Amino acid sequence: MKLATLRNGRPDGALVVVSRDLQHYLPADGIAPTMQAALDDWDTVEPRLRDLSEKVETDPSRLPFDPVEAMAPLPRAYQWADGSAYVNHVELVRKARGAGMPETFWTDPLIYQGAADCNLGPREPIRIADEKLGCDFEGEIAVVVGPVPAGADEAAARDSIRLIMLVNDVTLRNLVPGELAKGFGFFQSKPQTAFSPVAVTPDELGEAWDGERVHLPLLIARGDEAFGRPEAGSDMVFSFARLIAHVAQTRPIGAGGVIGSGTISNADPAVGSACIAERRAREMIADGEPKTPFLADGERVRIEMLSADGASIFGAIEQQVRLG
């Protein structure tokens, strides 16, 4: 089942069910007005949404789906907690600046809390005040959970996963060092985050979903050039079940909480990268200096994932950088 949120003049938009080929939709207002409302009453509304999902494939009243009209599936999420499940990425970035890797990084997930109340749709621009901020994209996967009690184990965390989305976790790299030096984590260096046109139930991924990881490449393009295609299941040290359980270790997660994987990263450099910082780190390690520039005004970024038969699963995040 594929769900989306379309603009209707309200902050949380309108919930719709999208066809598997991403070409058509049917409104779900008779079932749940918004994505959050559906998640709040998931056990009751999911069967009805699935019936509508079957109907949208052939119903003559269905409407054309335009991702330009899509908001983030959850425009105002109660929680956006982003992890760093691909420790290879952390190791590369730290190595490039001459920092060692604490052993705990391989056993204890890194997670920060980002802005959740202003999520971007898949075609909304990346707005920055100045190119000197070092604007970067980060291709990720995120899961949306149902209610998770405090202290939940990994089995309960796994069972809480309701939906899966793609993410562009925009980072202003030149603000990161100063913020981390304060010892209090990211804030201004993490502006608005963009999400894929649709969120899908795990069964839409078929064998590519093992219950905790997605086993497909994430395709990232900068302008007209391929930038990377890291495999999302490989080198994911901390599964989504582990990340969710970590977030819920001392506090509950409400229905609709969004948990991110962090930048997808593979040890094999041949697959490229899901963010500029990682490419720059490899350049620094190999040549002593980074060469790849951060994003400039007018540049475009595309993030997408295809099924084994070449069909777009989530639709594409396509954003352009704009100053101001």
Side-chain angles (χ1 to χ4, degrees), residues 220-236:
I220 299 98
R222 181 177 185 174
D224 296 326
E225 296 185 5
F227 194 88
R229 48 175 299 117
E231 209 280 339
S234 299
D235 303 313
M236 188 180 188

Side-chain angles (χ1 to χ4, degrees), residues 39-40 42 145-150 152 156-157 159-162 244 252-257:
L39 291 161
D40 286 339
W42 189 252
V145 300
V148 183
D159 291 343
S160 75
I161 297 171
R162 302 286 185 259
I244 295 164
I253 307 173

